[in-house]
Amino acid sequence: LHYWITRTAKAHLTYSSLCNNVAFGGIGFGACPKGGGKPISPRIMRWAAAKSGPGAAVSQEGNVAFIDPSAVKTVAILGMGSVGSGWAALLLARGIRVQAFDPGADAAATAQQLIAGAWPSLIELGLTARAEPPDRKIQFFGTADRALDGADAVFENVPEKLELKHSVLAQADAVTSADVPILSSAGGISPTEMQAACAHPERLLVVHPFNPSHLIPLVEIVPGEATSEAAVAWAMAFSRSLGKKPITLSREMPGHK
């Protein structure tokens, strides 16, 4: 059931609706306000310079530029319960490396069991041709900082407690550069409330799946008051690249459990 509801769902954002900032042969995913902005990070510039064809899309306009969703290689997952493990299974099926952190004593073993259990369904749906999960593409770390190191995007899936969300999101915001999107699976806490913990709230938004998260196509994209349009567009495009059917909600409001 929906945790977030809205009277009107926005039309799906498409690549054609993004800012037409072409760089290195692709579409720019940066925010597009008038006037100048901060230069994009050296990390993104090094990545883009190494690629010359379509799919190497960055923009130097606006305050932030995100990596092209199709070029994402590594995702950090904070919280490896059923939702986090579902995301991990889907990411692995799409060939994306997962760097995971969960402080639970048996979290790694439980997550691996959940991923293995999800795998036959992913094969049946045609989301992967691998006979079994690629163990070499998932690594569990003892600290969140290590899991976040080098990630192109972050999925946050910790329990629905605002204080805990603030702590984890503040850490993710501090450790990663401002061009790394932070996607929360929160179902009962608004993104605006969570953004209060972040120095760069424009890259934080809710990407709320429906259980089982690796199977149900629908995901709700819920921006907070500070979320940039570029972050929303990026989350929509990345969700589609995972085989999801995202909708963007026009306003954040408590739904029903």
Side-chain angles (χ1 to χ4, degrees):
L1 296 178
H2 287 267
Y3 279 70
W4 294 100
I5 58 175
T6 181
R7 292 183 179 178
T8 305
K10 290 183 179 178
H12 289 342
L13 296 175
T14 64
Y15 286 104
S16 62
S17 71
L18 299 174
C19 307
N20 188 24
N21 300 323
V22 179
F24 299 97
I27 299 172
F29 280 84
C32 303
K34 293 182 179 180
K38 298 178 182 178
I40 64 177
S41 75
R43 184 180 74 86
I44 292 293
M45 287 301 293
R46 288 195 297 271
W47 165 81
K51 298 175 69 74
S52 58
V58 292
S59 168
Q60 294 197 57
E61 294 189 25
N63 294 325
V64 67
F66 300 118
I67 189 171
D68 186 320
S70 66
V72 170
K73 301 298 183 185
T74 303
V75 170
I77 300 183
L78 307 180
M80 289 294 290
S82 60
V83 173
S85 296
W87 281 125
L90 183 57
L91 291 165
L92 292 170
R94 307 303 273 182
I96 297 173
R97 175 178 170 79
V98 171
Q99 298 181 170
F101 170 72
D102 191 303
D106 300 320
T110 301
Q112 287 173 325
Q113 290 176 355
L114 290 170
I115 292 169
W119 207 254
S121 297
L122 294 170
I123 294 173
E124 186 175 352
L125 289 171
L127 294 174
T128 183
R130 295 178 178 271
E132 56 188 25
D135 292 339
R136 62 183 179 82
K137 278 190 170 286
I138 183 169
Q139 187 170 2
F140 294 85
F141 291 90
T143 66
D145 284 6
R146 291 187 63 196
L148 291 163
D149 186 31
D152 297 315
V154 178
F155 275 91
E156 174 275 308
N157 314 283
V158 302
E160 299 281 304
K161 298 178 180 179
L162 183 58
E163 185 176 351
L164 177 59
K165 294 278 191 187
H166 277 174
S167 176
V168 170
L169 292 168
Q171 186 174 12
D173 184 66
V175 171
T176 60
S177 60
D179 50 40
V180 174
I182 300 177
L183 315 176
S184 174
S185 295
I189 300 175
S190 76
T192 295
E193 288 179 293
M194 294 187 288
Q195 286 174 336
C198 300
H200 299 285
E202 69 281 348
R203 42 88 173 253
L204 169 64
L205 70 168
V206 165
V207 177
H208 178 247
F210 292 79
N211 276 325
S213 56
H214 63 289
L215 295 181
I216 305 299
L218 179 64
V219 290
E220 295 171 317
I221 309 297
V222 189
E225 291 179 0
T227 304
S228 70
E229 291 185 7
V232 174
W234 190 93
M236 292 287 286
F238 186 59
S239 296
R240 290 194 185 104
S241 76
L242 298 178
K244 293 294 190 180
K245 303 294 184 182
I247 60 170
T248 304
L249 303 192
S250 60
R251 58 182 292 197
E252 54 183 317
M253 59 185 297
H256 54 86
K257 297 184 179 181

